[in-house]
Amino acid sequence: MTNLAILIPVALFLGAVGLIAFLWSLKSGQYDDLDGAAERILIEEEAPLKRD
Amino acid sequence: MSCCAPGSQGALDAAGTGAAGPGAEEIRLASRPVGGGLMQTDLAVPGVHCGACIQAIERALGGLEGVTTARVNLSTRRVSVKWREGALPPFVETLNRLGYAAHLFEGGETGKDPVLSELIRAVAIAGFAAGNIMLLSVSVWSGAEEATRDLFHWLSALIALPALFFAGGIFFRSAWSALGHGRMNMDVPIALGVALAYGLSLYETINHGPHAYFDASVSLLFFLLIGRTLDHVMRERARTAVAGLARLAPRGAMVIGQDGSRDYLPLQEIRPGMRLVIAAGERVPVDGTILRGHSALDCSMATGESAPQDVGPGAEVRAGMLNLTQPLVMRAVAVADKSFLAEMVRLMEAAEGGRARYRRLADRASALYAPVVHAAAFLTFAGWLAATGDWHRAITIAIAVLIITCPCALGLAVPIVQVVAARRLFENGIMVKDGAAMERLAEIDHAVFDKTGTLTLGVPQLKNANQLGATTLALAAAIAAHSRHPFSRAIVRAADGRAARAFNFDSVNELPGLGIEARLDGATWRLGRAKWALQDTCAAGTALSGTVLVQNGRTLAEFRFEDQLRPGAAPALLHLGEQGIGMEIMSGDSQAQVDAVADRLGIAARAAGVLPGEKLARMEALAAAGRKVLMVGDGLNDAPALAAAHVSMAPATAADIGRNAADFVFLRDNLLAVPLARDIALRAGRLIRQNFALAVGYNLLAVPIAVSGHVTPLVAAVAMSLSSLIVIGNALRLRTDKELLSASFAGQQASDAAAAPLMEAAA
């Protein structure tokens, strides 16, 4: 039982971290322009663009 | 940057044909302050399609005076520019110079979609919960000892709670509102099944029972939400693509004040009696009377007439007409809400009944399905109670029946096919507004076509170019290049490619409504109406009509024009005819023009000079006769008929309200989009019926097992996932008809080649 008491919280915690990271990325608009993001990695920029 | 040549990209290029874009006042009106002395303008740029485009646009716009940021969204094909209040930077000019058409779009919202965010959040939470609970369940299924099992059940209950709250909420709300209206929808059995499964499992957990259905209820939500999210994405994509098309109705007009001052006022502030300036290339904003100026008006959008009309002082004009050649001053006689446009909107609203009566396939299925399922569960409960007298056992088995019959596959059966079908349509430049439209398109047995702008491109074409000498044509083109009249443009287009000698005319005068006069070394050429061009000579026996080129009173050439058929029009109608669909043409244009097109396409049923109200009445008459009618049209005058038809299609070049009223909008010129869309709709209908059969078959197999009390959570989880996967896999089989597809692509080039012999035959 003791290993369960450690492993289950760890598993749930890691899952929750992933979930929260996803929700944050969703909220910060990273899925608004998926096609654009795929192309932008190929653009060389002199200065980083400001995102709005 | 060769890949960015305008027109190299198929899907959206029809939207940007030749439009110079909105004026500065119109852009200013569409901009909104975002705080800190900054203004934001959103423009649709249908031509962007790669990284180089993004970079070129952002760099060019960002470098303009006063612009703080410019950001391209490639998915929605929009650019959003922030600029400091003050002088308006020349966005549209800059974009045009780079080779991109730009225009304002409907609504002007920011592009954020709160519903999609909620759905994705719900999918994420349901996915997290389903994954974790499934992991715990696997160890329970593989025989965990009692204490561990109870612990895992409690953990599962805990994890399932937020999923039930966030993800399940969407279904609970929908089911509740359906029940509130006394209706049944697919969400009622889903909500009931999920809630009861959770309640029972919680009871089991508290009483240390061996079976809990947390995994089933949460993974059910997860699967269903995926279907629902895809469905939403499909509709939203079509909506933004349609909204991104050029706005054809003006946002406002230049008003001349009492003191001669000029102000650009929004449409709502224009009152009867105001004097308005309509520049060449602008649309008439409200009904009115011309005060000053002569020009040609393109009425095709308002009335369906293909030939441009000459207007002068005293002429009445209607909202939606396009001023072609010279600036006009007009007096408004009606406010925007009482103009021709508003009249069309009123007719449309009155007409909307037919479509509202249609019930979606899924809703019809669930109206049958839900009572059967609920009755089966209740009978199971009653049966077990009577047989064993064990309340707990009877309830457990009844709920197992509910879970196993929960319409997971059924809920996915329709949306997943429609999502795949919408994807296929999108690849072919056809936008579908919602899934129900596809079901309705599959049912049609009659098609009504508008002529101008639908069967034809609405652009006059020089018909007898082959009979004219190359020099004459080059001369005519050199004169015609000075005018924006559609006939002049047709001559310039026809002369394209031939060696055009440079003519340095001493003077060129355009006389609105008459023609163009050019002088060179004492010679005078007149290109225009025969009556005017030949008025100084008394050439007996010459027909004084049509368009001619005259040199010092001697006729050099006569020009005949004809509206060009839309590419693919003939094969499209042929294909529909083969499928046994009745066809007719209904146009506001003159009988002669309608006959010319109808004869070439071989359609016997035709009506000319039809008013918008009469088009609507015809739709209602056909509907009353039990026909399922597809209406294809583009003009303002078609909008009421588009709204009244069983299902409707409009080209991307259609009037704004027509586009909004239509269920389908096709972005390419080719009319083969119509049979192609119908073909995909029919195939989708077949797959949906197959999916229903699969789902029902699964239930016939699973229900006896559930009723006999042999369903454990493991069986439920496996059976449900399997049936969902089968349904999804079946939906992915949807393909497009290879022949139609290649014809609609080849048509683009073939139509040019085919046009030449057709013209000769007609001449």
Side-chain angles (χ1 to χ4, degrees), chain B residues 476 479-480 491 514-516 525-529 532 547-549 559:
Chain B
I479 299 171
I491 293 176
L514 300 173
I516 315 165
W525 289 279
R526 281 178 168 185
L527 174 67
R529 286 173 176 256
W532 162 76
T547 308
V548 294
L549 175 64
F559 300 97

Side-chain angles (χ1 to χ4, degrees), chain A residues 8 15 32-33 39-40 46 49, chain B residues 51 58 72-75 112:
Chain A
I8 289 175
D32 288 356
D33 182 16
E39 296 286 347
R40 273 175 202 280
E46 301 88 53
L49 281 175
Chain B
E58 288 185 349
V72 175
N73 186 324
L74 188 63
S75 310
K112 288 257 180 207

Side-chain angles (χ1 to χ4, degrees), chain B residues 603-615:
Chain B
I603 294 184
R606 58 190 79 162
V610 187
L611 295 174
E614 294 169 355
K615 288 197 178 194

Side-chain angles (χ1 to χ4, degrees), chain B residues 10-11 14 421-422 424-432 437-438 441-442 444 447 449 453-455 457 566-576 579 581 630-633 647-653 663-682 736-737 739-748:
Chain B
R424 295 272 177 273
L425 288 172
F426 192 84
E427 286 164 3
N428 292 296
I430 304 165
M431 304 291 129
V432 54
M438 246 182 279
L441 182 62
I444 59 156
F449 292 89
T454 304
L455 288 176
L457 284 172
R566 201 175 261 279
L573 296 193
L574 198 69
H575 189 269
L576 288 177
Q579 308 267 313
I581 290 174
L630 162 71
M631 170 79 201
V632 189
V647 59
S648 51
M649 282 184 92
T653 47
D663 296 305
F664 294 82
V665 176
F666 54 99
L667 301 175
R668 293 183 192 149
D669 277 347
N670 204 307
L671 200 66
L672 276 169
V674 177
L676 194 70
R678 179 166 176 273
D679 178 65
I680 292 179
L682 284 174
T736 18
D737 188 320
E739 250 173 68
L740 268 177
L741 195 63
S742 60
S744 78
F745 273 112
Q748 216 72 30

Side-chain angles (χ1 to χ4, degrees), chain B residues 397-473:
Chain B
I397 294 173
I399 288 176
V401 170
L402 264 188
I403 291 172
I404 206 93
T405 56
C406 219
C408 192
L410 213 55
L412 278 171
V414 178
I416 200 81
V417 173
Q418 287 176 344
V419 166
V420 177
R423 175 84 215 169
R424 295 272 177 273
L425 288 172
F426 192 84
E427 286 164 3
N428 292 296
I430 304 165
M431 304 291 129
V432 54
K433 298 276 181 64
D434 68 81
M438 246 182 279
E439 296 170 13
R440 281 184 273 123
L441 182 62
E443 293 180 348
I444 59 156
D445 54 12
H446 198 81
V448 178
F449 292 89
D450 171 45
K451 182 184 75 71
T452 317
T454 304
L455 288 176
T456 67
L457 284 172
V459 181
Q461 195 81 0
L462 186 60
K463 194 173 150 191
N464 56 347
N466 296 339
Q467 297 156 359
L468 303 172
T471 347
T472 320
L473 194 58

Side-chain angles (χ1 to χ4, degrees), chain A residues 1 4 8 12 15-16 19 22-23 26 29 32-36 39-40 43-44 46 49-52, chain B residues 50-51 54-55 58-59 71-75 80 82 112 117 120-121 124-125 128 132 148 152 155 159:
Chain A
M1 281 303 267
L4 279 185
I8 289 175
L12 285 180
L19 180 64
F22 174 76
L23 292 178
L26 183 69
D32 288 356
D33 182 16
L34 291 174
D35 299 342
E39 296 286 347
R40 273 175 202 280
I43 301 178
E44 233 177 308
E46 301 88 53
L49 281 175
K50 272 176 270 174
R51 201 169 44 72
D52 52 17
Chain B
C50 69
I54 297 178
Q55 197 174 19
E58 288 185 349
R59 192 170 287 167
R71 178 93 181 167
V72 175
N73 186 324
L74 188 63
S75 310
S80 126
K82 287 201 178 117
K112 288 257 180 207
S117 300
I120 292 185
R121 196 177 315 126
I125 292 170
F128 165 79
N132 281 294
T148 318
F152 282 7
L155 276 172
I159 300 169

